[in-house]
Every structure is written in C-alpha cells, then in structure tokens.
Amino acid sequence: MAEFLAYLIAGIATGAIYALAAIGFTLVWQTSQTINFAQGEFVMLPAVLVLLAIKLFGAPIWLGALIGIAAFILIFGVGFKLAVVDPMIRHGVLPLAIATMALSIIMKEGAKDGFSAEAQKFPSFVPTETISVFGAAISLQHVAIIAVAFAVIGLLQWFVGSTRLGRQMQATAQNPTVARILGIPVERMVLLTFVINAALAVVASVLISPIYLAKFSNGEVIGLFAFIAAIVGGFNQVRGALVGGLIVGIVDSMAAAYISTSYRLAVPLVLLVVVILVKPEGLMGRKEERRV
Amino acid sequence: MKKHWIIAAALGMAVSLPALAQDKVKLVDVVELSGAGATAGTNWKNGIDLAVADINAKGGILGKQIEIVHYDTQTNPGNTRAAVQRAIDEGTYAVLGPVFSGPIGASMQIAQRAEIAQLVGGEAAGLTKQGNQYLFRTSLSQTAAMPKIAKYLKDTIKAGSVAVVWVNNDFGKGGRDAIIPELEKAGIKLAVDVSTEQGQADFAADAIKVKNSNADAIFVYLNEEESARFLRAAKQQGITKPMVGETTLLGAKVIELAGDAANGVKGHVGLSIDAPIPAFQEFGKKFQAKYNYASDHNGLKGYMAVYMVKWATEKQKKFDKKGVADTLRGATIKTSEEPGILIETTVEKNGDLDRESFLAEVKDGKQVITATLPKINP
C-alpha cells in the first residue's frame, strides 16, 4: 500500500506538470484552432531565461526569476501572438501549425547556442526532504508541485467561469464573430489567452526544473506527454487537459513500477491509441461540429 | 611598376599558402557537443583543445602545428558515421572521439576500413571485442573496472544484495552485463535490475523501486545528467543506502548538478583531477583557468588522446597514419618519455588500456580519492 501510494503521488506530481502544459494546448486550440507544437519549449525556456538573467545581471534568484519570467511572458506570450499567430492565421491553420514547429526549433536551438547544451542546476524553492504518509516517503517537492499546480488550475477555472473577463474569454473561444457583435474586445481576449498560456508554462517550468534540471531539450519530453495528455483528456476542454495530464502521469509512474521500466515510454502511447479508438474526442472532450 | 610589385607579392603569397598548410597536421574530433552526450563531449573537446594549445605552443608534432576541427554528432549514431567519414575524406591524421559507446560502435568500422587510428572515450566492454585493430580507448574498459567495483562492494561496503540501475544504451548495457557476473562471483545477490532510458528526465518511479528492493547498496551506471537526476530523485525518496558507481557517477558535472544528493556517493574512478597524481592536478588547474569550471574524466581523456597521437608519431619519427595505430598497439607510454600522457599507460593489443585507477567518495560536494589501485598487469 505504501509503495502504491508513493508511485501514485509521484505520478500525480508529474501529471500535474503535463496538465499545465496540456492546458496551454487547449487554450491555443480554442482561440486559434491550431496546435502549438512549441508548447514543450514554452515549458523549457522560462527556466533557461531565469538562469540567463542570473548569469547576465548577477541577480539574486528571486530577481532573476522575475526578470526571466517577465521576459518570457512578454516575448512568448504577447510576442508569440503578435509575431506568429496574427500574421499566420490569415493563411489558415496549417501554416500556423508549421510556424509553431519552426518556433519550437528556434527556441530549442536558441537555448542551446545562447545558453548551454548541457543541463544546468535549477534552484528549488522547496527543501529536498520527505514526509511519511501512511508509511510511504513522499517528497516535499512532489507535494509542492501538486499543491501549486492544482492551485493555479483552480484559479484559472475560477477566472474563466466566475469573472466577467473570463466569461468574455470563453465567449471569444466559442464564437469570435458573435462575441465581437456583443461588443467583446475579441483581440484583447485572444491576447489574454496567450499571456495566460505563457504564465502557465512559466509555472510548470519553475516547478519541474529543479527535478528535470534546466536543459534545452527538456521540451521534447514535456511537449510529447502534454500533447498525449491533451488528446486523452479532450483537446477542447481545460478540464480534459487536467484529467489527461493526471492520467498520463499516473500511467507512466505505474507502468515503470509494475509493468516494465524498459517499455514505460510506450505505455502512454498505447493509452493514446486506445482513447482515440474508443472516444476520439477525448475522455472529457465534447464533439465538435462544423458547418461547411 | 608599383602595380607589378603588388601582383608579384600576391602571387608569392598564393604560392606559399599551400606550403604553410603543409606545415600543419589536421586532427578531426567527432564529438557529442549537443544531445544526451553534451556534458561528456564538451569536456572531451575542451581537453583536446587544451592539449593542442600546449603542443602547438611547444612547437607542434615533429615541427608541425596541429590544426584541430570539431564536428558535433548531436549524440546521434548516424551523424557520427557521417562525421567520421567526413573527417577521413578531409584527410584527418587520426580520428578523435566520440565519447559515447553507441555512436562509437556505429562508426568504428569506417576508420578501420581507412586504416586510421580512432581514439575514443567509450567504456563499453564490447567495443574492443570486435577485433578492430584501429580502435583505441582513452579510458579503462568496463571489463577492467567492474571486478574492482564488485570487490569494493563486497569487502568495503559489505553488501549482501545490490540494486543495479543502468541506462539502456550500449554504455549502460555493457556495464550492467559486466557487473552482474562479477556480483555473482562475489556472492552478492541482485536485489533489483532497473533499466532506464537515455535522456530520461523523471526518475521518481525508479528511485521508489530501488528503495523498495531493500538492497544493501545501489550500483548506479547512468550517463552524467541522468546520474544527477537519479541521485536527486533518490534523495527525494529518502534513500540512505550506499550509492556506488563508476567514474561517471563521481564526475564533477554530476556533483555540480546533483548538489547535496551527491554527497556520500562512492566508487571506482579511472581518471580524476583530484587523484594524487601531480600531473592530473596540474591539468585540472590549467583546465579550470581556461574554461572556468572543473574538468571531469572526459577532459583528461581528450587531453591524453592528443598526446597518444603525438607520442606515436614521434616514436615512428614520421607522419604515417597507419603507423600511429601500429605504434600504439601493445605499447607502454611512460611519463618520462611523454609527460603529456600524465600517467603511465599500457595500450593492449586489442585497444584496451591498463593503468592505475582510484577509489573515491564524494564529501562536501567534492570528489575525494580514498585509495589508488594498481595496474592489472603491472
């Protein structure tokens, strides 16, 4: 039981990170009907920028974190929307998707050449100690990841569902034309969505980098698993991304523990195939209809 | 008239350029500067650059300056094959690198066919069992290291059971296949056999599995970054059993990345700037001064690789590509003959090395050498 609990907590912690990244997929999908293939790099880069700020300005960690995070949200939240999404979306969804692939490569190679090809230690805001829960040793870092990730996701849900701004965002996502007729500043709402996506990526990056270490290639793994999580949960639902992330994280942890460590990477992919065959819209997703 | 002089001078310079080029000997380094092997590859490259700078400052090899070129393989076996072929096509005198055993295995036949010596950093036991007469290690092979580790686990750690954590690539599998028979011979039970992936980021489940095995000690055989991630995950899970490993686990980069989690790690070290060998320590200081960080064993290996080429060339008193391999095979390079080799090194007929090695422990974030082990065939 203690052993199972330890695997479960580790899986939930990893899954919470995937969920944060997967929510980014769904937000971009809802506003631009495209997939941001640079989502993994969105989680990788904030950690690199924080370390770069510390290195360049000799800043203490808290200041470095503020500079790095602000720079990321500005460049890859606002900048991404203005420089990539707006010019490309006019030419259709496919060119935009391809543009995000290019952005992914630029972000990855830029981090490698501009900072380092090697992994770097990233400071943890939580002590690396364990607490005992029903006989299982639970890492404080995992507890912190779960707590912060759930708090952020809860806050996002509250914002989207209970605030005027959030409802305007939802309306924009559901039907931009009608939202515009109703006087909602659609462009501003879309911009806000991208800023929120960048902020979620920052949170995921700061939480996971003390464990994964900061490295230019981290986005590959996170992006892949978050993508699987978004599809498993339902690409058009924030709740789906959360559920998908947790399922993928737990399945990955349990597969490593009880099936085989050699095939653990294959197990989430098998899960993905099964979900696509049984419920193509995802476990929490809703079927979408389009008029042509 | 002045114009004629200018043209004549330009022609003269153009004619002299090939002569200048001939005063150089070209070495191509095929190495992991990005991808999973970036840490090892960067150290290896920097060690090579340091050796080239030293040798060139002292007049080069037989009066020729070394021209060094580095090609990034991105830790990709296909890229490595292409890079080795390119190095040979471009007339390299010897091939230096790569460091990871998988890419070495994928590319070694190319240098062999060209009859050019390839000096590599890989430790996988299988590399030198294939009868390639042109492949030379710069580190001890797993075959030489694992018996020492098994003895250490039995005699010093007093382990009755050991959990083995290894990375599922040629390096890791070679180490795992070499340690398990040695554990059996020593009467040590295998508590759990944990395979992990190259580039794996999350080691929480692996650490829990190791913890639940209740092994007396854990043998960790992963690449640098993965070693650090595993040590951190092990600390997070509250594992307190002795962590024992080979050179990589106690490397400077692992200690830096793992932080507190590296303290207490023990193991066998083939090469270390902290070893009680003045030449190693001197190298360590030069490396630190030039690159502003401490070299791991790969820096030493890269440095020694260039000096092995230098020694073989000066021994044969001419530049003969095939002769470099012929001279190295079966030779013992003494520091009195070539100080750049740093420690007396015997190159066995199959390309393996024999030399002194060390036992070490990480204390307060530093690698401390606790014993020097003799050559297998002194």
Side-chain angles (χ1 to χ4, degrees):
Chain A
M1 178 60 191
E3 186 180 330
F4 178 81
L5 187 65
Y7 287 125
L8 185 67
I9 299 291
I12 292 173
T14 311
I17 298 297
Y18 296 154
L20 285 172
I23 289 170
F25 274 120
T26 64
L27 290 176
V28 174
W29 174 265
Q30 286 178 352
T31 49
S32 58
Q33 291 289 300
T34 194
I35 296 166
N36 176 17
F37 285 103
Q39 190 67 22
E41 279 65 38
F42 270 52
V43 178
M44 171 278 293
L45 202 59
V48 170
L49 289 179
V50 169
L51 293 179
L52 199 62
I54 293 169
K55 195 175 164 185
L56 288 180
F57 306 117
I61 173 66
W62 64 269
L63 186 59
L66 283 180
I67 294 171
I69 289 164
F72 182 81
I73 292 175
L74 191 67
I75 299 168
F76 292 96
V78 179
F80 175 57
K81 198 258 175 190
L82 298 179
V84 179
V85 178
D86 286 352
M88 297 306 293
I89 195 73
R90 293 181 212 129
H91 305 287
V93 170
L94 189 61
L96 178 56
I98 292 169
T100 65
M101 287 180 197
L103 182 68
S104 152
I105 296 168
I106 291 167
M107 289 171 85
K108 195 165 75 172
E109 295 302 316
K112 185 176 86 178
D113 295 335
F115 188 61
S116 175
E118 297 182 57
Q120 304 291 319
K121 195 171 158 185
F122 191 83
S124 172
F125 296 97
V126 184
T128 52
E129 286 168 13
T130 56
I131 51 170
S132 182
V133 180
F134 298 117
I138 306 296
S139 154
L140 277 181
Q141 281 189 322
H142 283 159
V143 174
I145 288 174
I146 294 167
V148 174
F150 275 76
V152 167
I153 292 166
L155 195 65
L156 178 68
Q157 286 285 69
W158 170 80
F159 174 74
V160 170
S162 308
T163 66
R164 184 181 161 84
L165 210 56
R167 280 197 289 271
Q168 287 183 341
M169 259 179 68
Q170 264 190 324
T172 304
Q174 282 166 12
N175 195 325
T177 311
V178 175
R180 195 169 277 118
I181 292 167
L182 291 172
I184 294 170
V186 169
E187 285 302 309
R188 208 182 302 161
M189 290 304 113
V190 173
L191 182 63
L192 184 61
T193 308
F194 282 91
V195 169
I196 289 172
N197 177 35
L200 289 174
V202 165
V203 173
S205 188
V206 171
L207 288 176
I208 203 64
S209 296
I211 297 174
Y212 283 19
L213 305 172
K215 191 175 181 188
F216 74 95
S217 57
N218 279 356
E220 293 167 10
V221 177
I222 296 169
L224 174 67
F225 280 89
F227 188 56
I228 294 172
I231 294 174
V232 167
F235 226 94
N236 50 21
Q237 290 291 317
V238 169
R239 273 178 304 156
L242 170 63
V243 171
L246 293 179
I247 289 175
V248 170
I250 293 167
V251 163
D252 178 48
S253 182
M254 294 299 171
Y258 298 114
I259 301 175
S260 166
T261 44
S262 305
Y263 297 103
R264 65 185 292 184
L265 287 177
V267 175
L269 291 169
V270 171
L271 173 74
L272 173 71
V273 172
V274 171
V275 168
I276 287 173
L277 288 174
V278 176
K279 204 166 182 296
E281 68 274 19
L283 298 174
M284 306 287 285
R286 60 166 187 266
K287 286 183 180 172
E288 285 187 0
E289 291 174 4
R290 284 191 192 174
R291 288 187 190 140
V292 290
Chain B
M1 190 63 188
K2 194 177 173 186
K3 195 175 173 185
H4 289 129
W5 276 110
I6 292 168
I7 292 168
L11 280 172
M13 280 184 70
V15 169
S16 68
L17 277 176
L20 282 172
Q22 281 171 4
D23 285 329
K24 290 194 171 181
V25 55
K26 184 172 187 172
L27 285 176
V28 178
D29 173 34
V30 172
V31 66
E32 298 87 346
L33 295 178
S34 61
T39 298
T42 304
N43 274 278
W44 167 269
K45 173 199 173 284
N46 289 344
I48 285 176
D49 283 341
L50 200 56
V52 168
D54 284 355
I55 293 168
N56 283 344
K58 290 175 185 166
I61 302 175
L62 296 178
K64 286 192 181 188
Q65 294 283 293
I66 301 171
E67 180 194 352
I68 185 74
V69 177
H70 304 281
Y71 290 136
D72 181 12
T73 68
Q74 298 175 324
T75 324
N76 176 305
N79 289 357
T80 310
R81 285 180 64 85
V84 171
Q85 187 61 59
R86 185 178 173 189
I88 291 164
D89 293 345
E90 290 178 355
T92 189
Y93 180 57
V95 177
L96 306 179
V99 183
F100 269 28
S101 298
I104 294 168
S107 65
M108 58 196 255
Q109 297 82 4
I110 298 170
Q112 183 186 18
R113 273 199 297 275
E115 297 186 326
I116 289 179
Q118 184 174 5
L119 293 96
V120 298
E123 295 169 17
L127 292 173
T128 46
K129 289 180 178 170
Q130 299 174 35
N132 184 337
Q133 293 288 292
Y134 293 86
L135 189 79
F136 298 94
R137 291 186 197 275
T138 53
S139 63
L140 296 180
S141 103
Q142 292 162 339
T143 318
M146 295 307 168
K148 295 178 183 180
I149 293 170
K151 189 173 184 309
Y152 180 67
L153 282 163
K154 187 185 178 189
D155 297 343
T156 309
I157 304 289
K158 314 272 185 211
S161 64
V162 169
V164 175
V165 184
W166 51 285
V167 54
N168 193 8
N169 59 17
D170 293 66
F171 162 76
K173 190 160 186 340
R176 180 248 184 209
D177 291 348
I179 191 73
I180 288 178
E182 296 300 331
L183 293 176
E184 280 172 12
K185 274 189 229 166
I188 299 171
K189 193 181 147 210
L190 178 66
V192 66
D193 185 17
V194 180
S195 156
T196 68
E197 291 304 312
Q198 182 169 300
Q200 186 173 318
D202 189 353
F203 284 89
D206 309 279
I208 295 167
K209 201 167 196 171
V210 166
K211 187 179 183 186
N212 291 327
S213 73
N214 279 322
D216 295 331
I218 299 119
F219 175 67
V220 185
Y221 206 68
L222 309 171
N223 298 128
E224 280 86 350
E225 289 166 17
E226 290 86 342
S227 291
R229 290 187 187 119
F230 177 77
L231 290 176
R232 292 170 79 96
K235 187 173 168 65
Q236 277 176 7
Q237 292 305 323
I239 295 175
T240 52
K241 299 289 173 59
M243 295 275 181
V244 178
E246 227 281 310
T247 312
T248 304
L249 186 67
L250 294 98
K253 188 69 184 177
V254 175
I255 295 171
E256 178 204 324
L257 292 177
D260 289 349
N263 283 334
V265 165
K266 302 175 178 70
H268 173 257
V269 174
L271 293 168
S272 167
I273 57 167
D274 297 315
I277 308 280
F280 282 2
Q281 293 169 358
E282 189 59 33
F283 165 85
K285 283 179 197 160
K286 275 197 289 188
F287 192 101
Q288 175 80 40
K290 186 164 182 182
Y291 301 110
N292 201 27
Y293 76 97
S295 169
D296 72 358
H297 61 290
N298 289 301
L300 278 158
K301 288 196 286 189
Y303 188 84
M304 292 158 107
V306 183
Y307 274 100
M308 285 167 76
V309 174
K310 176 179 181 278
W311 177 85
T313 307
E314 290 176 349
K315 191 82 175 167
Q316 60 182 344
K317 297 187 175 70
K318 60 181 176 180
F319 286 95
D320 175 8
K321 290 179 185 177
K322 187 172 180 295
V324 171
D326 294 338
T327 309
L328 283 174
R329 227 174 283 128
T332 294
I333 311 173
K334 293 180 187 295
T335 50
S336 54
E337 293 174 16
E338 177 47 75
I341 201 69
L342 305 179
I343 184 172
E344 182 178 300
T345 302
T346 298
V347 185
E348 294 174 1
K349 295 280 184 192
N350 66 352
D352 278 344
L353 296 187
D354 188 9
R355 64 181 168 217
E356 284 181 342
S357 57
F358 313 92
L359 290 177
E361 183 175 349
V362 180
K363 289 179 184 171
D364 299 325
K366 284 188 177 173
Q367 189 192 88
V368 178
I369 302 294
T370 53
T372 301
L373 305 177
K375 287 170 84 173
I376 294 170
N377 299 305

